[in-house]
């Protein structure tokens, strides 16, 4: 039997199901209408126009999935690119799960039972919580009862790169035949992210990525999309090398089914005929189909509650299926309890139609079980956890695949790292070079011990420039994974990406969301992702990392991590001038809740692997590594009398203490390569000023240290008597700026609230007032004004003090009395210093 005959046979067999699909579609339509009517919020138009597409995809067999257990690792994935049309998914799952619930109640057969159904199945009762806190979200989220969804979506275009990342993880893991379906409207295809993804998906040979395009020609505004955007979905995707196919009959079961069966690869042989190209399948539809409100008018505006139009649609359904709706034709109750009662009863009225049709219940339940059983338990080509191959020579004997590689303590033991990861004192090395060595080592470890790279890496055509290329490079006897796919091999770890920062971030976050563990709630099996660009372009990565952070916060499954590399950051990118300076833009890496990201600011080569080990050991899903371009001399820390680079793991460490037998000048907190390099060069001069110098490498890691250590580095008194030196913008040091007065003395690249220009490194540092001479002058000014500073603090407390004291202190007393006590402590210590008496121990509270 040839392939064409086989597909015709599938289509013919499915024709007998079309009547069931039609009635199921009617039930979903009504549930969509009802939840939007009573909530008076949501998107009816696109939700209705996609019902045919979604149902045919779910029930035709082109998608292998198991509604009973959405965590099965070899099931196909679904991403709702048009995340605003989430009512479509909620109502579809409600109908399908109800069919299983009925059948399980009738038979007691466990085949119809949803795994952890009490907590994970979405039933029609849950529709009552649509767009309410603790209920069903207003856009698509991968959590709780909607783990069917495989990424958080809603912002237009954001689902595209995430879906590509999911497809990449599956391909790189050898999950042959496992596909990713993305349902999107043409409005969501217009953002640049989608065009970046279209380019990337072809270059990465993602033939397991299938776009389902609802082509209805309308968005939100009152004009057709075709009046603004040239061409058709075929033009939009074929020009990027994708396979495309479509139908003008997007509401015809026969046309839709034939299109899906003929386009979506059904087995390994068909997948081999795709030319390694992704596919876009489009369906011409009408936005607002059957809603009596069409096109852009139906986008995000339901009919008024219990309006004439709403009841008119319900009347047609009631007549067709013999349904009686509560308060049919009446105005909505004004009492909230009565309104919710009516809402529930009208949902029940629709669901009762399913209960009364045993043939439909039997069909849906049996079909869903059949689809679930089509998901393979094993895939011969699956590579995660396999023994190391020929590329992974040099294994030291650990069993490949024995446990999750991300639980291996060697990843986080910086003091046990190979000596090749560290530079010798006196060498001239850029801190970005350390990332390359560490990346080569960690993927070599993964290859030799677990048969997989631990990181897949991408950059905006800057892999070598930002040194992220190290993740594909050799280390020791391991020859390196090299480039991935069309430029490399299917076993590569370095993606050959172009200038596609947004897509790169989305691909890496999508990749990290794929957990191929047999028990995804317990452990993570997959890949971590990393991507880089200039620090000044960090904003291009933020949108996708933000969504990933939200997903990681609430998802029921364990996810991977994303390493965000802000390369060429700070004024050190002098030669490229201010268009490329990373002074303000890296601040987007701080726009997350606490615990969701760890920012790392190593100032020299040897601090990079130390900080990475410390940060990746934590639970935070995102780590932002800020690196700089120029080579600097690796300090001889022992000769200088400063702590080891391993102390960087604590987030802050004391570079030089003030002499307790002399009048103190205050505390200076330093962050950034050129700032710290300059400070190291003028240590003898700073010693004359008797300031305490603290190197700040990560506010998040510092916050994780015991309180005793935090107070040893920065006592409460020292925080109030401190300022900062930073190569970035002053505002970005807000974690280390403890008073407004201290901020007045801060030395930063934006000292005059102007963009810097450009030139040589020395010229730009001079302009930024961060040369050694300017730093010395600034610190001297800070020291000389100490009596006035402390007097002002005492006079204006608590207004002049940022409430960043430890909660243990803040909870004991008001901030005002606390500040006054600390100021008094400083004054007493000053008097003791003048008398030459021993001060109270550093960090001791008043």
């Amino acid at each position: 039997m040839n392939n064409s005959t086989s597909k015709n046979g599938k289509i013919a067999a499915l024709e007998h199901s079309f009547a069931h699909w039609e009635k199921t579609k009617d039930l979903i339509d009504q549930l969509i209408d009802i939840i939007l009517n009573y909530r008076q919020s949501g998107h009816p138009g696109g939700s209705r126009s996609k019902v045919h597409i979604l149902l045919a995809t779910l029930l035709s067999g082109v998608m292998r999935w198991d509604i009973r257990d959405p965590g099965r690792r070899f099931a196909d994935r679904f991403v709702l690119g048009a995340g605003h049309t989430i009512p479509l998914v909620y109502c579809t799952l409600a109908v399908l799960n109800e069919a299983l619930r009925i059948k399980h109640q009738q038979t007691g057969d466990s085949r119809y039972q949803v795994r952890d159904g009490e907590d994970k199945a979405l039933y029609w009762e849950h529709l009552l919580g649509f767009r309410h806190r603790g209920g069903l979200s207003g856009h698509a989220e991968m959590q709780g009862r909607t783990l069917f969804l495989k990424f958080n979506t809603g912002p237009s275009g954001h689902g595209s790169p995430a879906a590509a990342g999911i497809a990449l993880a599956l391909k790189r893991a050898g999950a042959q035949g496992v596909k990713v379906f993305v349902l999107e409207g043409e409005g969501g295809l217009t953002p640049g992210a989608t065009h970046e993804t279209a380019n990337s998906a072809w270059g990465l040979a993602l033939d397991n990525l299938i776009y389902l395009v609802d082509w209805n020609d309308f968005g939100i505004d009152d004009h057709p999309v075709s009046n603004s955007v040239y061409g058709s979905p075929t033009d939009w995707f074929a020009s990027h090398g994708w396979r495309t196919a479509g139908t003008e009959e997007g509401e015809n079961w026969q046309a839709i089914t034939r299109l899906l069966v003929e386009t979506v690869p059904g087995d390994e042989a068909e997948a081999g005929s795709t030319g390694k190209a992704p596919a876009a399948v489009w369906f011409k539809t009408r936005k607002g189909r059957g809603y009596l409100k069409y096109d852009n008018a139906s986008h995000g505006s339901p009919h008024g509650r219990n309006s004439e139009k709403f009841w008119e649609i319900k009347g047609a359904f009631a007549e067709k299926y013999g349904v009686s709706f509560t308060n049919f034709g009446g105005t909505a109750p004004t009492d909230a309890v009565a309104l919710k009662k009516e809402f529930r009863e009208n949902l029940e009225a629709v669901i009762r139609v399913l209960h009364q049709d045993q043939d439909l219940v039997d069909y849906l339940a049996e079909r869903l079980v059949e689809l679930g059983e089509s998901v393979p338990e094993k895939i011969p080509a699956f590579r995660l956890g396999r023994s190391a191959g020929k590329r992974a020579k040099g294994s030291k004997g650990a069993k490949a695949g024995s446990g999750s590689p991300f639980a291996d303590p060697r990843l986080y033991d910086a003091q046990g790292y190979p000596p090749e990861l560290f530079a010798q004192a006196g060498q001239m090395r850029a801190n970005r070079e350390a990332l390359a060595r560490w990346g080569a080592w960690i993927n070599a470890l993964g290859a030799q011990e677990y048969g997989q790279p631990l990181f897949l890496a991408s950059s905006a055509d800057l892999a070598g420039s930002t040194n992220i290329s190290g993740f594909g490079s050799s280390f020791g006897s391991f020859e390196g994974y090299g480039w991935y796919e069309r430029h490399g091999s299917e076993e590569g770890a370095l993606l050959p990406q172009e200038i596609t920062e947004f897509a790169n971030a989305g691909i890496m976050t999508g990749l990290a969301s794929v957990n191929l563990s047999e028990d995804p709630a317990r452990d993570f099996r997959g890949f971590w992702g990393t991507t880089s660009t200039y620090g000044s372009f960090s904003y291009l990565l933020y949108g996708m990392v933000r969504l990933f952070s939200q997903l990681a916060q609430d998802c029921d499954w364990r996810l991977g991590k994303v390493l965000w590399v802000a390369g060429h950051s700070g004024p050190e990118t002098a030669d490229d001038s201010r268009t490329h300076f990373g002074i303000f833009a890296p601040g987007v890496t701080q726009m997350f809740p606490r615990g969701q990201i760890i920012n790392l600011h190593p100032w020299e080569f040897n601090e990079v692997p130390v900080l990475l080990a410390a940060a990746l050991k934590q639970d935070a899903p995102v780590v932002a590594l800020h690196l700089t371009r120029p080579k600097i001399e690796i300090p001889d820390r022992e000769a200088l009398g400063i702590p080891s680079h391993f102390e960087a793991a604590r987030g802050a460490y004391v570079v030089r203490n003030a002499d307790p037998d002399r009048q103190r000048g205050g505390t200076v907190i330093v962050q950034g390569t050129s700032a710290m390099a300059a400070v190291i060069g003028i240590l003898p001069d700073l010693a004359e000023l008797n300031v305490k110098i603290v190197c700040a490498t990560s506010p998040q890691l510092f916050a994780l240290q015991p309180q005793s250590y935090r107070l040893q580095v920065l006592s409460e008194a020292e925080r109030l008597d401190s300022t900062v030196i930073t190569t970035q913008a002053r505002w970005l040091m807000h974690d280390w700026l403890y008073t407004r007065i201290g901020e007045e003395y801060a030395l930063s690249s934006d000292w005059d609230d102007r963009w810097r220009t450009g030139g040589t490194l020395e010229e730009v540092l001079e302009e930024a007032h961060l040369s050694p001479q300017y730093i010395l002058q600034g610190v001297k000014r800070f020291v000389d004004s100490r009596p006035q500073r402390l007097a002002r603090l005492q006079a204006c407390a608590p207004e002049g003090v940022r409430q960043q004291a430890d909660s243990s202190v803040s909870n004991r007393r008001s901030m005002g009395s606390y500040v006054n006590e600390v100021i008094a402590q400083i004054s007493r210590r000053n008097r003791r210093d003048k008398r030459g008496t021993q001060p109270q121990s550093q960090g001791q509270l008043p």
Side-chain angles (χ1 to χ4, degrees):
M1 181 184 297
N2 62 38
N3 192 38
S4 178
T5 303
S6 173
K7 289 187 174 184
N8 285 332
K10 290 180 183 177
I11 295 167
L14 288 169
E15 288 176 353
H16 301 292
S17 304
F18 291 167
H20 292 311
W21 295 5
E22 181 68 19
K23 189 167 186 178
T24 304
K25 180 263 298 178
D26 289 346
L27 298 177
I28 295 168
D29 282 347
Q30 297 306 308
L31 293 180
I32 291 172
D33 297 351
I34 289 171
I35 66 172
L36 268 62
N37 174 70
Y38 288 100
R39 182 60 182 85
Q40 281 297 288
S41 180
H43 299 79
S47 297
R48 265 185 165 254
S49 65
K50 294 174 179 62
V51 177
H52 287 84
I53 304 168
L54 180 61
L55 263 186
T57 301
L58 296 182
L59 298 178
S60 66
V62 298
M63 179 173 166
R64 296 184 305 188
W65 68 297
D66 192 345
I67 193 173
R68 303 165 303 174
D69 185 359
R72 294 186 63 183
R73 59 179 179 167
F74 296 137
D76 290 341
R77 269 64 173 174
F78 179 83
V79 175
L80 184 62
H84 63 287
T85 63
I86 190 61
L88 160 75
V89 172
Y90 292 154
C91 296
T92 299
L93 291 177
V95 172
L96 300 184
N97 277 321
E98 186 67 14
L100 284 176
R101 181 162 67 170
I102 296 169
K103 194 69 174 176
H104 182 253
Q105 290 172 347
Q106 291 174 342
T107 66
D109 191 333
S110 61
R111 294 185 309 132
Y112 305 112
Q113 192 168 18
V114 176
R115 182 178 180 181
D116 300 325
E118 287 299 315
D119 298 319
K120 295 295 184 283
L122 194 160
Y123 295 115
W124 66 267
E125 296 94 331
H126 300 120
L127 299 176
L128 291 163
F130 175 61
R131 288 198 167 210
H132 283 287
R133 183 167 65 89
L136 300 177
S137 172
H139 284 79
E141 295 190 7
M142 174 185 163
Q143 62 164 315
R145 302 184 188 279
T146 51
L147 290 169
F148 164 74
L149 302 167
K150 292 303 183 284
F151 205 79
N152 287 15
T153 58
S156 295
H158 287 50
S160 292
I166 296 168
L168 171 65
L170 295 168
K171 288 278 287 188
R172 183 57 185 79
Q176 204 167 64
V178 182
K179 299 177 287 293
V180 180
F181 291 84
V182 189
L183 181 53
E184 182 62 279
E186 76 269 53
L189 301 181
T190 59
T194 300
H195 296 272
E196 291 185 3
T197 303
N199 282 324
S200 301
W202 180 87
L204 299 174
L206 300 180
D207 55 358
N208 59 340
L209 180 61
I210 315 294
Y211 267 64
L212 307 171
V213 180
D214 171 22
W215 188 21
N216 58 55
D217 202 29
F218 278 92
I220 303 173
D221 288 339
D222 189 19
H223 62 79
V225 173
S226 56
N227 285 356
S228 301
V229 178
Y230 171 79
S232 67
T234 297
D235 299 311
W236 306 333
F237 286 97
S239 61
H240 293 291
W242 289 45
R243 297 178 296 115
T244 62
T247 176
E248 295 283 342
E249 300 179 85
E251 299 169 11
N252 180 293
W253 296 118
Q254 174 77 30
I256 296 170
T257 303
R258 177 169 293 280
L259 179 61
L260 288 171
V261 171
E262 290 182 347
T263 307
V264 178
D267 54 36
E268 188 175 332
E270 287 185 41
S273 65
T274 61
K276 294 185 175 182
V281 187
W282 56 266
F283 309 83
K284 199 74 174 73
T285 65
R286 180 78 188 274
K287 190 165 189 170
R289 171 198 54 80
Y291 192 62
L292 304 182
K293 188 176 186 180
Y294 299 102
D295 304 330
N296 65 292
S298 69
H299 178 84
S301 175
H303 292 302
R305 183 176 291 153
N306 285 18
S307 66
E308 182 179 340
K309 290 290 186 183
F310 170 74
W311 287 124
E312 183 179 345
I313 302 167
K314 299 295 135 298
F317 179 81
E319 183 176 348
K320 184 175 183 179
Y321 294 108
V323 173
S324 295
F325 286 107
T326 297
N327 192 29
F328 181 75
T331 58
T334 55
D335 176 72
V337 174
L339 183 67
K340 187 171 183 178
K341 180 174 181 291
E342 181 180 305
F343 184 4
R344 182 185 182 92
E345 290 175 353
N346 285 334
L347 288 174
E348 281 188 282
V350 174
I351 290 297
R352 197 173 301 119
V353 174
L354 174 61
H355 281 253
Q356 294 170 350
D357 189 340
Q358 189 63 44
D359 285 345
L360 180 57
V361 169
D362 291 343
Y363 166 76
L364 289 175
E366 294 298 335
R367 184 58 174 157
L368 291 170
V369 169
E370 181 184 7
L371 289 165
E373 292 174 349
S374 73
V375 176
E377 291 294 334
K378 295 183 178 180
I379 293 179
F382 186 60
R383 289 194 287 268
L384 287 193
R386 281 191 165 186
S387 308
K390 66 176 183 177
R391 285 178 166 266
K393 295 180 291 185
S395 172
K396 296 181 180 178
K399 292 182 179 179
S402 55
S404 168
F406 304 104
D408 191 325
R410 289 174 291 182
L411 272 61
Y412 316 112
D413 179 16
Q415 299 205 38
Y417 279 175
E420 299 96 309
L421 298 190
F422 300 97
Q424 297 299 311
Q427 291 182 336
M428 297 295 293
R429 304 292 293 272
N431 62 14
R432 60 190 173 101
E433 296 176 56
L435 173 65
R437 295 306 294 148
W438 183 85
W441 168 76
I442 201 166
N443 271 355
L445 175 70
Q448 292 167 341
E449 310 294 357
Y450 298 95
Q452 69 166 90
L454 301 191
F455 278 89
L456 298 188
S458 69
S459 189
D461 197 26
L462 295 166
S465 175
T466 60
N467 295 83
I468 209 165
S469 57
F471 288 92
S473 299
S474 62
F475 189 89
S477 61
F478 175 59
E479 64 187 66
Y481 279 108
W483 292 97
Y484 179 74
E485 259 304 341
R486 292 191 193 270
H487 179 64
S489 75
E490 63 181 14
E491 293 188 359
L494 183 61
L495 310 188
Q497 291 294 92
E498 291 303 316
I499 307 171
T500 53
E501 279 97 342
F502 194 101
N504 291 352
I507 289 169
M508 289 302 128
T509 56
L511 167 106
S513 73
V514 177
N515 189 342
L516 291 163
S517 168
E518 292 180 337
D519 186 359
R522 185 177 63 87
D523 66 359
F524 176 79
R525 295 293 181 94
F527 305 100
W528 288 355
T530 181
T531 189
S532 69
T533 188
Y534 277 69
S536 57
F537 307 146
S538 296
Y539 56 89
L540 295 170
L541 281 65
Y542 177 73
M544 291 306 307
V545 180
R546 179 182 73 94
L547 291 182
F548 177 70
S549 170
Q550 294 171 359
L551 170 59
Q553 173 182 285
D554 295 317
C555 187
D556 307 69
W557 297 331
R558 296 183 67 86
L559 305 182
K561 294 179 185 288
V562 172
L563 174 59
W564 176 349
V565 179
H568 300 320
S569 201
E572 290 88 349
T573 316
D575 298 322
D576 287 336
S577 299
R578 56 189 168 193
T579 57
H580 286 56
F581 282 176
I583 292 173
F584 292 95
V588 299
T589 63
Q590 299 184 25
M591 295 165 58
F592 293 85
R594 290 182 183 176
Q596 287 293 306
I597 193 168
I598 296 177
N599 276 282
L600 307 178
H601 295 271
W603 74 273
E604 56 104 344
F605 186 104
N606 289 333
E607 290 188 347
V608 173
V610 173
L611 284 166
L612 285 169
L616 291 170
K617 186 178 182 180
Q618 308 306 320
D619 289 334
V622 183
V623 173
L625 177 63
H626 302 261
L627 297 175
T628 50
R629 175 182 287 176
K631 294 183 178 184
I632 64 168
E633 183 177 352
I634 304 301
D636 187 336
R637 290 175 179 256
E638 186 175 358
L640 290 168
I642 64 177
S644 162
H645 49 264
F646 290 114
E647 291 300 298
R650 296 173 176 261
Y653 59 91
V654 179
V655 176
R656 179 70 61 84
N657 252 316
D659 183 350
D661 295 327
R662 296 168 50 210
Q663 176 74 33
R664 287 174 172 80
T667 297
V668 178
I669 304 166
V670 189
Q671 180 177 281
T673 296
S674 294
M676 266 304 300
V679 164
I680 293 297
I682 57 173
L683 276 178
D685 300 298
L686 295 175
E688 289 298 315
L689 296 173
N690 203 27
V691 289
K692 182 176 183 177
I693 302 168
V694 174
C695 178
T697 57
S698 172
Q700 292 81 25
L701 290 179
F702 186 61
L704 293 171
Q705 304 309 308
Q707 185 185 38
S708 59
Y709 177 79
R710 297 198 307 273
L711 291 176
Q712 176 188 337
V713 174
L714 287 168
S715 71
E716 298 298 343
E718 289 165 342
R719 295 181 191 197
L720 294 175
D721 188 16
S722 69
T723 191
V724 302
I725 305 173
T726 178
T727 51
Q728 295 190 332
R730 182 171 57 252
W731 175 85
L732 302 190
M733 288 292 282
H734 59 85
D735 285 309
W736 304 103
L737 279 166
Y738 296 101
T739 71
R740 295 288 183 186
I741 294 170
E743 184 175 347
E744 294 175 12
Y745 294 86
L747 305 177
S748 63
S749 291
D750 62 332
W751 64 275
D752 56 352
D753 295 317
R754 291 178 62 81
W755 297 101
R756 302 277 63 87
T757 57
T760 66
L761 175 59
E762 293 74 17
E763 289 170 341
V764 172
L765 290 178
E766 185 78 12
E767 183 189 7
H769 286 198
L770 291 174
S771 64
Q773 296 78 12
Y774 269 115
I775 288 177
L776 186 59
Q777 290 174 17
V779 175
K780 188 175 187 304
R781 173 175 168 264
F782 172 71
V783 172
D784 290 345
S785 66
R786 189 167 186 257
Q788 293 84 0
R789 287 190 288 105
L790 299 184
R792 287 175 62 197
L793 274 172
Q794 194 164 22
C796 68
E799 290 79 10
V801 180
R802 295 187 175 188
Q803 298 193 19
Q804 295 185 359
D806 285 344
S807 59
S808 59
V809 174
S810 299
N811 291 339
R812 287 205 307 268
R813 57 175 91 85
S814 73
M815 195 62 176
S817 62
Y818 161 69
V819 170
N820 285 327
E821 280 194 53
V822 173
I823 296 295
Q825 178 199 16
I826 296 172
S827 299
R828 288 194 299 270
R829 188 171 64 187
N830 288 342
R831 290 194 295 271
R832 282 194 299 268
D833 289 349
K834 291 177 180 178
R835 292 196 303 267
T837 57
Q838 188 67 26
Q840 89 186 79
S841 62
Q842 192 176 68
Q844 184 176 342
L845 294 177

